[in-house]
Amino acid sequence: MSALAPRVAIVGAGPAGIYAADILLGLAPTVEIDLFEKLPAPYGLVRYGVAPDHPRIRKITDALHDVLSDPRIRLRCNVEIGVDITIDELRAAYDGVVVATGADLDVRLDIPGIDLPGSFGAADFVAWYDGHPDAPRDWPLAAESVAVLGAGNVALDVTRILAKHAAALTHTDTPDHVLDALEASPLRDVHLFARRGPADLRFSALELRELAEQHDVDVIVDPAEIALDEHAERMIAQFSQRRIIVRTLTEWAARDQSIRSASRRVHLHLRQRPVRVLGDDRVTGIEMERTASDGLGRMVGTGELLRYDVGAVYRAIGYRSTPVPGVPFDTENGVVPHAEGRVLGEGGAPLPRLYATGWIKRGPVGLIGSTKSDAAQTVRHLVDDLAAADVSERDADPIAHLTDAVDLEGWLRIDAAERGAGAERGRERTKIVDRTEMLSHAGQTHMTEAGR
Ligand SMILES: Cc1cc2nc3c(=O)[nH]c(=O)nc-3n(C[C@H](O)[C@H](O)[C@H](O)COP(=O)(O)OP(=O)(O)OC[C@H]3O[C@@H](n4cnc5c(N)ncnc54)[C@H](O)[C@@H]3O)c2cc1C
């Protein structure tokens, strides 16, 4: 290797990007890393996706912060790759560029009525309640009855946050405007619909149980909808998680309906798929079709239609990634085409100095922990390629012109302002949502020094 330290750019300061930086420094200690993030704050979906009532998961930011504190990493938030600087510019200036831009959009659901006012994607709702700077400040929570579509943990998050009384969130970092809107919500019923049967749900058993652990919220399950067929029996015999889920559903279905007294109810409907969203100029209901297993776990429509009066529909059927300009994108699968993290060009050959990791590489599935093993695979190849690269000449600092970037100290000033705002309210933190306000906190010292 030459005398110069290799320089690597990582795009996206979510868990995938930060873990990639950590693993890279472990394997190649002389590397210098610039870590770019388009938002003024790091941590990706750990900050802007994980539900506020899951503080233990949010605490992962402490470990991510430790990585960012390494002096070999320069954090550059408020820099959007493809807008403020291009991928080609990065590839020309760095010995390796790792794309870790995650996923931020909702998968589309092509059924009639899906674009009516009152029909929402989970990603937008999550961004709102988690205080994402680009989310709208107002969220219409006017419906007494809503439908949530989906059989995974995001559907559970959305259902829980809709059904939760705002008082149960006041100790969290949830911004005031979100707490106020939740407080004023007239909601009484959330209908959570899953296409699949009880043994094929993708909920985690723990998060499912949480639904019924909320104050003043009843969970209602129709015993007929959780009847086990042959396929379900096979699944629960094989997989303990599925067994626990079925046990939980069975417990809930057996509860005496007459003792239910909560002011809010979650109705869990299985084996139903959406057919159309009803309404002329806004959502007034949803039409579902009952499904049945074909014996192998595939769900087929039975032709039996059911209608529910709801004033809003939330679809939580999956996330998808936004392509990064200049980086190949497989639109069908919603990922960057790659071979174990090396990004592939049109002919299928690896593109020099370009890598991918995290949800943009693997697709939007898997927990935060799985982004670590994923990053390890990508970084191993990057390190091999760095060892073979000629790092003998380079431009001066390629990002010196990005004067609006928020560095680690700037982010720590935002962090301190959020902790201060939280302390005023008797909490650990209250998120600052407004981008301009975040940037003004980030630049405080700067501005004070300039004003001296
Ligand atoms: C609603 C929701 C709840 C979840 N809850 C949990 C949970 O409780 N527990 C758990 O383990 N996992 C949870 N997950 C999964 C977890 O969030 C993901 O596994 C993980 O965040 C994926 O990491 P990533 O770094 O690939 O993507 P992300 O976390 O999305 O990070 C990508 C980062 O790249 C930035 N970026 C994007 N484009 C650009 C650009 N052009 N230039 C610069 N920066 C850019 C983004 O702003 C973002 O900060 C949840 C996911 C969702 C959607």
Side-chain angles (χ1 to χ4, degrees), residues 17-58:
I18 298 177
Y19 286 136
D22 191 30
I23 295 166
L24 178 56
L25 290 176
L27 293 177
T30 59
V31 169
E32 292 168 1
I33 298 174
D34 284 339
L35 175 54
F36 296 99
E37 167 57 51
K38 69 176 180 182
L39 299 176
Y43 308 138
L45 286 168
V46 184
R47 181 175 157 96
Y48 291 121
V50 171
D53 57 348
H54 283 170
R56 202 178 49 82
I57 310 286
R58 282 278 185 82

Side-chain angles (χ1 to χ4, degrees), residues 123-146:
D124 292 336
F125 182 55
V126 168
W128 171 73
Y129 70 62
D130 262 344
H132 192 292
D134 299 339
R137 292 296 176 278
D138 296 323
W139 194 271
L141 288 173
E144 287 190 10
S145 184
V146 307

Side-chain angles (χ1 to χ4, degrees), residues 12 14-16 37-38 44-45 49 57 81 100-102 157 319 358-359 366-368:
E37 167 57 51
K38 69 176 180 182
L45 286 168
I57 310 286
I81 305 309
T101 47
D157 283 350
Y319 271 53
W359 273 17
L367 297 175
I368 296 161

